[in-house]
Amino acid sequence: MSERTNASVIPFKVDDETEDGVLAEVLAESQAQNLSQNPGERLHMAEAVRMAEAIVFASAEPVSEKQLAGRLPGINIAAAMAELQQIYARRGVNLVRVGDAWAFRTAGDLAFLMSRDTVQQKKLSRAALEVLAIIAYHQPVTRAEIEDVRGVETSKGTLDTLMETEWVKMRGRRRTPGRPVTYGTTDIFLDHFALEEIRDLPGMEELKGAGLLSGRMPSNFSIPMPPADPDVLTDDEDPLTDIDLEELGLLTPRVEED
């Protein structure tokens, strides 16, 4: 008798508590929802998902839901993106949320395949990492406030380096004497650190568990909660004007003709 004749099929049962089990439940729920729709609605949603996929795939930058809504009027963008995300959940590339935008990224478990194509970036200094962490958790924050938290002076070069990486940006000006510039993080920062929103930053317990905080912290020590939407100016901030940008060297001065 041949080996093929002796071979047997061993059934594999997926535990409901495993990741595959959870995915199966999600797919079953999605199929049930699809069955509740009439053929016209299902066809309309399928076409909306295809169009959203094409827009995000062709974009070099994450595409915001506002941009998608502008390109796809009358479409339920949230539902379309949720379905598209589910479609790509087990593929080599995943659809991920970056702030209020969407982008395709290599699946996390396949990142090693891209190692040869990865651009090796220069490591940030300890000072730059400290300033970045303070800005991320305390934003909007001024240079003086950063120095107050660190206890040492912060060089302009450190902030320039963080802005060159496009992880930090100038937000506005504080409504205090001298009108100091306020700093905050960008969507590129969220994308680099695989965060959907700024409030996904690790909390105190997570930082302690990772060994980044001492177990003997002062009783009054706390980690501030970043704003829900870091792009919205606070009540004590003014937006940056063209004049401000010219003063900061971020905008070429306009030459008035005689």
Side-chain angles (χ1 to χ4, degrees):
M1 187 176 292
S2 66
E3 293 181 0
R4 178 174 296 182
T5 305
N6 288 331
S8 60
V9 178
I10 301 175
F12 177 74
K13 183 178 183 298
V14 178
D15 189 335
D16 290 339
E17 295 182 359
T18 64
E19 181 181 351
D20 288 341
V22 172
L23 179 61
E25 290 180 4
V26 172
L27 290 174
E29 182 179 350
S30 177
Q31 291 171 356
Q33 291 176 350
N34 287 336
L35 289 175
S36 66
Q37 297 176 333
N38 61 49
E41 290 177 341
R42 291 201 300 270
L43 182 61
H44 182 66
M45 177 55 70
E47 188 63 17
V49 170
R50 288 183 66 242
M51 291 188 291
E53 178 184 23
I55 293 172
V56 177
F57 181 82
S59 177
E61 303 292 338
V63 182
S64 69
E65 293 192 355
K66 183 178 180 180
Q67 291 173 312
L68 287 168
R71 298 287 297 277
L72 304 173
I75 300 297
N76 186 334
I77 299 300
M81 300 312 290
E83 184 166 336
L84 186 58
Q85 187 177 41
Q86 180 179 301
I87 291 172
Y88 277 90
R90 305 291 291 178
R91 295 188 178 180
V93 292
N94 299 149
L95 180 66
V96 300
R97 193 180 185 95
V98 181
D100 68 339
W102 294 90
F104 284 113
R105 293 290 181 264
T106 302
D109 60 331
L110 301 181
F112 68 94
L113 295 173
M114 306 296 112
S115 59
R116 292 184 179 181
D117 300 326
T118 300
V119 177
Q120 296 296 322
Q121 296 180 340
K122 183 179 179 181
K123 291 184 177 180
L124 292 177
S125 65
R126 181 182 180 88
L129 289 174
E130 289 178 357
V131 171
L132 178 61
I134 292 170
I135 293 174
Y137 281 97
H138 291 260
Q139 60 183 304
V141 61
T142 65
R143 180 176 172 181
E145 291 166 345
I146 294 171
E147 293 175 346
D148 186 53
V149 174
R150 292 186 66 213
V152 295
E153 184 177 350
T154 299
S155 69
K156 184 178 181 298
T158 299
L159 287 168
D160 289 342
T161 297
L162 292 175
M163 287 193 289
E164 286 174 5
T165 63
E166 298 185 78
W167 291 351
V168 168
K169 66 181 179 182
M170 294 181 180
R171 291 171 44 98
R173 284 188 179 274
R174 185 83 77 204
R175 293 177 183 174
T176 56
R179 300 182 67 245
V181 173
T182 56
Y183 296 91
T185 54
T186 66
D187 283 346
I188 295 177
F189 168 84
L190 296 178
D191 193 12
H192 182 85
F193 290 97
L195 301 171
E196 285 193 9
E197 59 180 43
I198 196 64
R199 289 195 172 184
D200 287 336
L201 285 168
M204 187 182 298
E205 295 304 319
E206 293 171 291
L207 292 174
K208 284 183 178 179
L212 299 176
L213 287 179
S214 170
R216 296 179 295 177
M217 302 298 296
S219 58
N220 62 343
F221 180 82
S222 64
I223 294 179
M225 175 66 74
D229 188 348
D231 291 329
V232 176
L233 296 177
T234 58
D235 293 338
D236 62 347
E237 284 181 291
D238 287 323
L240 292 172
T241 64
D242 287 349
I243 296 177
D244 292 324
L245 295 176
E246 288 180 10
E247 291 178 353
L248 296 168
L250 300 177
L251 186 67
T252 303
R254 289 172 293 181
V255 177
E256 296 182 0
E257 297 180 358
D258 294 336

